[in-house]
């Protein structure tokens, strides 16, 4: 018996990284999975984004766990596209029990040096995309009077970080959205929470552009990891996607039956420092 037997989970940004890890973790606990991902490059993102092949690979990995999986190529900030994803999920599985609004991007620059394009694309994906994902699935959950929504924020949703004003602003916004939705949706037995990870070893972090944020002089992996380690109370520069997935599973399951409006740090103690 799994904790999510009979459930259907929709996960955005599911082609790789945390999104793929969430898909596999929820599938191992019995959920059928719907994933979506833009699976193409955004101009202001300074690292290689996910591909259609990676989206297909996530489907294969879920199916290897003997769970069903549907993948849709979609931009989370596109209202019609996200409504299409939810419609496809309901058509294939009859319902959506869980939304994990995980899709996100990163880019860097001092607040006064960011371009308008960097700012707009960051807010479009990391905040508007979360809202559009929620907006698409909420009427269905209200109709069923049940649902669990987990949004990916960040320690940058709780703390300021130099060189990432647009990212910090978006992630703070996610927590505000989660807290408001928790109030609005409680009468329908829909729980809404956020996870706030420290640095996670995914392609979004494990690349030269991110290393240069933490090690401006050399942009080296070693220098960046040493700097990242200083953020955390526990002795690690970053955590793994599975560590975040464990928290997502907790919030999606009945183990968290009375938790809503929570911004849960998965942070190796960063929030304590």
């Amino acid at each position: 018996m799994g904790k999510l037997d009979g459930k259907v989970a929709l996960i955005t940004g599911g082609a790789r990284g945390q999104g793929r890890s969430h898909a596999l973790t929820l599938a191992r606990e019995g959920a059928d999975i719907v994933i979506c991902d833009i699976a193409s490059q955004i101009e202001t993102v300074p690292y290689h984004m996910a591909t259609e092949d990676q989206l297909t690979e996530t489907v294969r990995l879920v199916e290897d766990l003997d769970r069903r999986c549907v993948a849709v190529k979609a931009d989370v900030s596109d209202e019609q596209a996200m409504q299409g994803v939810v419609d496809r999920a309901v058509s294939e599985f009859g319902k959506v029990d869980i939304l994990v609004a995980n899709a996100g991007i990163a880019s860097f620059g001092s607040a006064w040096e960011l371009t308008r394009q960097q700012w707009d694309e960051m807010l479009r994906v990391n905040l508007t995309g979360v809202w559009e994902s929620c907006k698409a699935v909420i009427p269905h959950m209200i109709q069923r009077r049940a649902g669990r929504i987990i949004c990916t924020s960040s320690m940058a949703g709780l703390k300021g970080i130099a060189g990432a004003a647009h990212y910090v602003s978006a992630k703070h916004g996610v927590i505000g959205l989660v807290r408001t939705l928790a109030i609005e949706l409680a009468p329908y037995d829909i729980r809404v929470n956020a996870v706030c990870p420290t640095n996670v070893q995914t392609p979004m972090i494990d690349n030269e552009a991110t290393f240069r944020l933490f090690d401006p002089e050399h942009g080296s992996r070693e220098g960046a990891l040493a700097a990242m380690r200083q953020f955390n109370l526990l002795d690690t520069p970053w955590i793994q996607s599975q560590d975040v997935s464990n928290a997502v599973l907790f919030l999606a399951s009945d183990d968290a039956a009375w938790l809503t409006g929570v911004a849960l740090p998965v942070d190796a103690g960063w929030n304590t420092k």
Side-chain angles (χ1 to χ4, degrees):
M1 292 288 290
K3 292 184 176 183
L4 302 178
D5 285 348
K7 303 297 185 184
V8 176
L10 166 57
I11 300 161
T12 70
R16 68 180 189 187
Q18 291 185 54
R20 176 183 286 176
S21 178
H22 301 339
L24 297 177
T25 298
L26 301 191
R28 280 192 291 268
E29 290 294 331
D32 290 320
I33 305 295
V34 179
I35 54 171
C36 70
D37 202 293
I38 193 171
S40 62
Q41 197 65 32
I42 294 174
E43 188 174 353
T44 59
V45 173
Y47 53 87
H48 293 298
M49 292 181 62
T51 65
E52 292 186 50
D53 285 346
Q54 290 173 319
L55 190 62
T56 301
E57 176 66 4
T58 300
V59 173
R60 185 190 68 78
L61 291 169
V62 170
E63 290 177 342
D64 283 349
L65 296 171
D66 201 27
R67 305 312 310 165
R68 295 173 64 195
C69 186
V70 170
V72 183
K73 190 174 184 292
D75 180 346
V76 290
S77 69
D78 184 320
E79 181 176 10
Q80 290 186 336
M82 288 312 300
Q83 189 59 60
V85 173
V86 173
D87 290 346
R88 176 76 183 278
V90 173
S91 174
E92 293 280 345
F93 298 114
K95 60 177 181 173
V96 176
D97 300 288
I98 300 159
L99 168 67
V100 183
N102 163 80
I105 61 172
S107 62
F108 311 105
S110 298
W112 61 94
E113 295 176 335
L114 292 169
T115 66
R116 180 58 184 266
Q117 184 180 3
Q118 284 177 300
W119 180 272
D120 286 348
E121 290 188 347
M122 180 64 66
L123 273 290
R124 178 176 63 81
V125 176
N126 286 18
L127 181 54
T128 301
V130 174
W131 172 64
E132 291 287 8
S133 301
C134 294
K135 183 181 177 184
V137 80
I138 282 170
H140 171 73
M141 289 182 170
I142 287 175
Q143 185 178 34
R144 298 184 64 241
R145 301 189 71 87
R148 299 100 185 255
I149 297 174
I150 302 102
C151 300
T152 301
S153 181
S154 167
M155 280 311 299
L158 299 170
K159 301 268 191 175
I161 301 174
H166 53 339
Y167 184 85
V168 168
S169 297
K171 292 301 188 179
H172 272 69
V174 168
I175 292 176
L177 176 63
V178 161
R179 288 170 173 163
T180 301
L181 288 176
I183 295 167
E184 293 180 344
L185 297 177
Y188 306 100
D189 201 23
I190 300 168
R191 297 190 285 105
V192 188
N193 294 291
V195 288
C196 299
T198 184
N199 292 307
V200 184
Q201 188 182 9
T202 69
M204 193 176 85
I205 295 290
D206 198 354
N207 64 76
E208 184 179 351
T210 307
F211 295 158
R212 195 160 293 281
L213 174 69
F214 291 97
D215 181 19
E217 185 174 353
H218 302 105
S220 71
R221 194 172 195 268
E222 294 75 16
L225 292 181
M228 287 182 196
R229 193 179 297 273
Q230 298 306 309
F231 284 92
N232 298 327
L233 191 62
L234 299 176
D235 187 22
T236 183
W238 49 24
I239 61 176
Q240 300 303 310
S241 293
Q242 186 62 55
D243 299 316
V244 187
S245 296
N246 293 340
V248 169
L249 172 61
F250 167 67
L251 292 172
S253 75
D254 289 340
D255 291 341
W258 301 112
L259 270 67
T260 196
V262 169
L264 178 63
V266 188
D267 67 348
W270 185 347
N271 198 43
T272 306
K273 294 189 77 171

